Amino acid sequence: MEKEFYLGIDVGSVSTNLVLLNSQRELVYRDYLRTMGQPIRVVQEGLKALKGRMGEINIAGAGTTGSGRKLAGIMIGADVVKNEITTHAVAALDTNPAVSTILEIGGQDSKIIILRDGIVSDFAMNTVCAAGTGSFLDRQAERLQIPIEEFGDLALKSKNEVRVAGRCAVFAESDMIHKQQLGHRIEDIVYGLCQALVRNYLNNLGKGKAIKPTVLFQGGVAANRGIREAFRRELGMEIEVPPHYDVMGSIGVALIAKETAKRMGRTGFRGLDISKCQFGVRPIECKGCANMCEIIEIVKDGTGIACWGDRCGKWSNRIGK
Amino acid sequence: MLVTFPHMGNAYIAMKSVLEDLGVEVLVPPPCTKRTLELGTKYSPELACLPLKLNIGNYIEAIERGAEVIVMAGGCGPCRFGYYAEVQREILQDLGYSFKMVVLERPQGNVRDFVKKIAIITGGKTVFRVLASIKRATRVAVLMDELERLCWQIRPREKSGGTVSRLMREFHSQALNTRGSVGLAALIGEYKDRISRVETKGNKEVLGIGIVGEIYTVIEPFVNVSIAEKLGDLGAEVDKSITVSYWVINHLIKEALHLHNKNELQEASYPYLRSFVGGHGQESVANTVLYKRRGYDGVIHLLPFTCMPEIVARSVLPEVSHRYGIPVMTLVLDEMTGEAGYMTRLEAFVDLIRRKKEMKGLYGERILSGD
């Protein structure tokens, strides 16, 4: 019997991640692509690269997650389309069944997930404020002309604490400039920024939540050792970073797809060759009422395969769900 | 004389009923849309809460269609709402619209004043006739809420997705052309019948989610991103702690007659919130507890951005959630019309409580089998 693989795709606002798990739930392939506002193209390119590397393989289940999950799900014929909270929790539990808290910080948003006895008991998401996300660090690193990859290691060299205001990204920036002008050392300021992000994150998302060990830190920002250290000190507990911390969403949805496909006894995956299909979107402005919904029709090789964006269901119900 | 009023979910049905029974020509504003919101945010103070803005949009769209009289509720409290009508009148006057605004307040000892105001709208009808129309409209409101509740029950169980929602859209477009309490009651009856005959998956297990919070955001689907529909489609049966008929009966009628019994609310919200904090803040806390007692699996708490009473409730709810072991999620609603963020949270919340329920099931079985 040929080997079976399970595909997970996380289409986020900044990056798109593809992972492939084998039937032992081990990661055998991972790819990171920039979404650059073109989810259709990036998914197709990702699948093409996957085929290039792995050849003709048997994909027995596929799933999508992230803010572009619906679109990607329709494109590839996903067995499961899941929100980021659930997929992150599933992946974390698979890594360490004892996990009680998941800290997740990505480029554009951040979440906290509280688990008790292996199930999600509470969560919070931050999407309106940038001060608790990776883009905050990105922006300040740019300002200080430090490559973001070196940011964390530099922070660890800090010997004196410099407090940078963290409630708002704009205030943080002016506060930081002020501290620079006073002559504080760069590594102290950099660590101050890490602390500011952590404080902001815990104030916004951790509000009223009991953060207990085991704590898993995932998402792209988990690569930053300065942030890890700031979390460790602020929470007074060890922070664990899973090996594939930056693709946990894709891993989670691949795991769920495996379960779903097993239960259904088949997969709806359209095959790796969909990278050759012509996908497009047809925007329609509905003039049926004053809502003027902006409808999007997803077209595969000239025929509509899905429709959404309407409030009343007039369009989305036309193509079978 | 063409009379209009602001929207709040299905409240227009009861308003149509009472006014038309009194022989008044009614103009129902077009349903809330993005244009309503745009008009409202353009002309309202930025700091005002969302319902005020949508009301303004409703008025303007109704006046454009020829409405001459606006009926609005008002009075002392229970929060900023008490002053809505006055602010709205000023805004519309500044914009140069010509209209008459009748602010109905709960008769606080002065029934004659209330009747006088009604007379402006109706052109002088006997008190008896006015009271009889209110009574019939209350009945219509109750029937309407029963119809909605039926939808909440059927939707998660329907065999072919979207059937209930389609029937309800049909219902609302017909309701606009149906006059008076008799016609409306008959129409509601017809649709209750049709919806109860929608094919369902008989033994499907559904989740129970209670919705608490500020009255307008709980009732008006345009603001709450049609939460009842969305949760229904995700396989959850919802219940709303506040409905139009609840409000009419408890806040308008019983309160006026000093019959509103708040013992249950007081008891349930004790000791987390011992007193009235404006709006429905205390109710939000009490109802969360009551939903737990009635066996619901989770509670969603809704509020418009900057709503004081619900901010108080919000800060109490995590403790209530923890003590009673019922998941609670708060959603703050504002001018955003993008729904993706809400959808992610609703999905994740449904996943959370489903999983929790499954685990409880497993645990229960284990106890039963003595394992």
Side-chain angles (χ1 to χ4, degrees):
Chain A
M1 200 183 123
E2 69 179 323
K3 274 191 191 159
E4 287 177 343
F5 294 96
Y6 300 92
L7 172 67
I9 307 181
D10 181 348
V11 185
S13 50
V14 179
S15 66
T16 295
N17 303 303
L18 285 88
V19 303
L20 212 52
L21 304 183
N22 64 16
S23 46
Q24 276 81 52
R25 310 205 303 275
E26 292 155 353
L27 187 130
V28 292
Y29 174 89
R30 51 174 287 170
D31 195 9
Y32 172 97
L33 299 134
R34 288 252 162 203
T35 310
M36 293 197 289
Q38 300 188 335
I40 295 182
R41 221 175 80 191
V42 79
V43 168
Q44 284 191 298
E45 274 172 15
L47 292 176
K48 203 171 146 193
L50 173 73
K51 198 181 167 189
R53 272 265 301 282
M54 305 291 292
E56 282 296 340
I57 49 166
N58 174 22
I59 292 184
T64 59
T65 184
S67 48
R69 61 185 180 277
K70 205 169 157 188
L71 178 61
I74 292 288
M75 277 179 67
I76 68 163
D79 299 303
V80 60
V81 176
K82 265 286 167 217
N83 62 80
E84 305 89 287
I85 307 274
T86 307
T87 53
H88 273 278
V90 167
L93 282 165
D94 195 62
T95 320
N96 185 345
V99 61
S100 287
T101 310
I102 301 169
L103 314 170
E104 199 271 347
I105 305 183
Q108 298 265 305
D109 64 14
S110 47
K111 0 181 174 349
I112 186 166
I113 307 171
I114 305 291
L115 300 105
R116 292 291 177 264
D117 308 319
I119 64 168
V120 177
S121 79
D122 198 3
F123 64 85
M125 256 177 108
N126 164 348
T127 47
V128 285
C129 171
T133 70
S135 65
F136 168 75
L137 285 187
D138 235 353
R139 168 115 184 85
Q140 309 314 329
E142 205 178 302
R143 191 173 185 99
L144 297 165
Q145 301 202 323
I146 303 165
I148 189 74
E149 297 78 19
E150 294 167 20
F151 198 90
D153 291 329
L154 187 60
L156 291 185
K157 295 202 182 104
S158 161
K159 297 206 172 56
N160 302 295
E161 292 219 348
V162 172
R163 195 182 162 91
V164 179
R167 272 196 79 187
C168 160
V170 177
F171 293 167
E173 192 163 319
S174 35
D175 205 28
M176 183 186 82
I177 293 167
H178 183 63
K179 298 279 153 74
Q180 268 180 299
Q181 308 292 44
L182 286 177
H184 284 286
R185 296 163 71 100
I186 190 97
E187 57 265 32
D188 294 340
I189 292 175
V190 165
Y191 185 63
L193 284 168
C194 293
Q195 286 180 307
L197 183 141
V198 165
R199 263 201 319 275
N200 180 286
Y201 174 92
L202 292 175
N203 285 338
N204 269 322
L205 299 177
K207 212 169 7 190
K209 298 193 188 351
I211 297 177
K212 291 184 185 165
T214 306
V215 181
L216 247 59
F217 182 18
Q218 45 201 51
V221 176
N224 188 316
R225 288 167 59 202
I227 300 282
R228 288 189 214 170
E229 179 59 21
F231 266 124
R232 193 182 68 83
R233 283 199 217 162
E234 185 74 33
L235 294 172
M237 51 184 83
E238 284 309 313
I239 309 293
E240 193 182 312
V241 176
H244 303 293
Y245 61 89
D246 52 343
V247 291
M248 293 298 269
S250 323
I251 294 179
V253 80
L255 288 169
I256 303 173
K258 184 170 179 285
E259 293 294 304
T260 312
K262 201 187 280 170
R263 207 173 53 236
M264 307 286 281
R266 62 181 172 81
T267 177
F269 184 55
R270 291 181 207 264
L272 289 175
D273 282 335
I274 55 170
S275 58
K276 290 182 193 146
C277 297
Q278 280 292 325
F279 281 98
V281 288
R282 215 167 12 220
I284 306 163
E285 195 187 353
C286 178
K287 297 209 166 65
C289 75
N291 269 323
M292 308 264 234
C293 292
E294 293 134 18
I295 320 290
I296 293 289
E297 188 180 14
I298 311 300
V299 184
K300 177 178 169 263
D301 294 328
T303 44
I305 51 171
C307 224
W308 57 68
D310 49 346
R311 274 176 171 266
C312 70
K314 179 169 129 191
W315 299 87
S316 41
N317 290 337
R318 282 207 321 197
I319 301 173
K321 282 180 185 172
Chain B
M1 207 170 60
L2 214 43
V3 176
T4 193
F5 44 80
H7 267 298
M8 182 170 81
N10 69 35
Y12 79 93
I13 303 262
M15 284 299 282
K16 240 172 94 73
S17 163
V18 66
L19 293 171
E20 286 174 348
D21 279 7
L22 289 166
V24 177
E25 275 307 309
V26 171
L27 188 139
V28 177
C32 294
T33 60
K34 272 188 224 162
R35 179 166 186 265
T36 321
L37 183 62
E38 257 161 46
L39 288 169
T41 43
K42 187 169 171 190
Y43 297 120
S44 311
E46 199 267 332
L47 281 173
C49 34
L50 191 61
L52 181 136
K53 298 179 184 178
L54 280 165
N55 289 171
I56 290 283
N58 286 150
Y59 300 147
I60 293 176
E61 287 186 312
I63 292 172
E64 284 171 352
R65 283 164 178 75
E68 295 150 295
V69 177
I70 297 170
V71 181
M72 175 63 181
C76 302
C79 58
R80 281 187 272 185
F81 173 76
Y83 208 54
Y84 266 25
E86 303 307 323
V87 175
Q88 291 169 339
R89 190 206 315 262
E90 296 274 326
I91 292 172
L92 293 178
Q93 273 167 358
D94 285 350
L95 289 173
Y97 290 111
S98 71
F99 65 98
K100 198 186 273 175
M101 193 170 216
V102 181
V103 185
L104 293 181
E105 296 175 31
R106 190 169 62 215
Q108 289 173 330
N110 191 350
V111 180
R112 192 178 295 161
D113 185 55
F114 183 75
V115 174
K116 222 188 263 168
K117 276 186 180 156
I118 299 255
I120 304 176
I121 312 166
T122 61
K125 293 282 184 317
T126 63
V127 175
F128 174 74
R129 209 178 141 188
V130 169
L131 290 178
S133 305
I134 291 177
K135 192 174 164 216
R136 281 196 299 272
T138 308
R139 177 84 193 121
V140 169
V142 170
L143 290 173
M144 185 62 218
D145 285 336
E146 281 171 15
L147 175 63
E148 284 226 5
R149 190 156 283 132
L150 182 68
C151 295
W152 300 336
Q153 287 163 0
I154 303 281
R155 205 177 268 124
R157 298 179 170 90
E158 66 187 1
K159 234 178 201 157
S160 111
T163 316
V164 171
S165 302
R166 206 193 61 237
L167 282 169
M168 281 310 279
R169 275 196 292 278
E170 211 178 285
F171 165 82
H172 283 294
S173 70
Q174 288 204 25
L176 285 177
N177 304 317
T178 309
R179 281 183 67 91
S181 61
V182 178
L184 286 165
L187 185 71
I188 294 169
E190 183 196 327
Y191 274 84
K192 207 182 273 178
D193 198 41
R194 289 179 67 177
I195 287 174
S196 58
R197 281 190 279 114
V198 167
E199 249 197 293
T200 56
K201 302 173 193 158
N203 53 357
K204 191 185 171 194
E205 198 174 321
V206 301
L207 304 167
I209 297 183
I211 297 176
V212 304
E214 186 274 333
I215 178 167
Y216 190 86
T217 35
V218 169
I219 295 177
E220 174 58 51
F222 178 77
V223 219
N224 66 30
V225 295
S226 304
I227 194 167
E229 231 179 288
K230 288 207 167 68
L231 288 172
D233 292 341
L234 288 171
E237 178 179 329
V238 304
D239 187 72
K240 295 186 177 180
S241 60
I242 304 176
T243 58
V244 172
S245 60
Y246 170 88
W247 185 68
V248 171
I249 293 171
N250 290 292
H251 290 270
L252 299 185
I253 301 174
K254 285 194 180 169
E255 205 110 323
L257 302 171
H258 303 287
L259 287 173
H260 190 188
N261 186 342
K262 290 182 182 159
N263 286 349
E264 194 188 27
L265 292 175
Q266 290 285 2
E267 181 271 323
S269 60
Y270 185 88
Y272 306 101
L273 207 49
R274 302 181 200 196
S275 57
F276 179 69
V277 290
H280 293 92
Q282 198 183 9
E283 270 100 328
S284 293
V285 174
N287 282 313
T288 302
V289 174
L290 294 177
Y291 276 129
K292 170 67 190 176
R293 288 190 193 152
R294 282 158 61 193
Y296 279 76
D297 303 301
V299 167
I300 293 180
H301 175 226
L302 302 178
L303 64 139
F305 190 50
T306 74
C307 173
M308 249 334 264
E310 298 301 333
I311 288 173
V312 176
R314 184 192 191 173
S315 51
V316 178
L317 283 173
E319 186 60 22
V320 177
S321 162
H322 179 68
R323 285 283 174 83
Y324 285 83
I326 182 164
V328 177
M329 175 169 74
T330 298
L331 292 180
V332 182
L333 300 151
D334 198 38
E335 289 163 28
M336 291 143 336
T337 48
E339 295 191 350
Y342 292 111
M343 208 51 216
T344 299
R345 286 165 176 80
L346 292 178
E347 268 183 47
F349 189 69
V350 167
D351 280 349
L352 177 165
I353 59 177
R354 175 166 294 141
R355 192 86 181 96
K356 214 167 197 175
K357 201 172 181 178
E358 282 169 10
M359 295 298 276
K360 222 190 280 168
L362 286 176
Y363 190 53
E365 275 165 29
R366 222 177 289 157
I367 287 174
L368 287 176
S369 63
D371 189 352

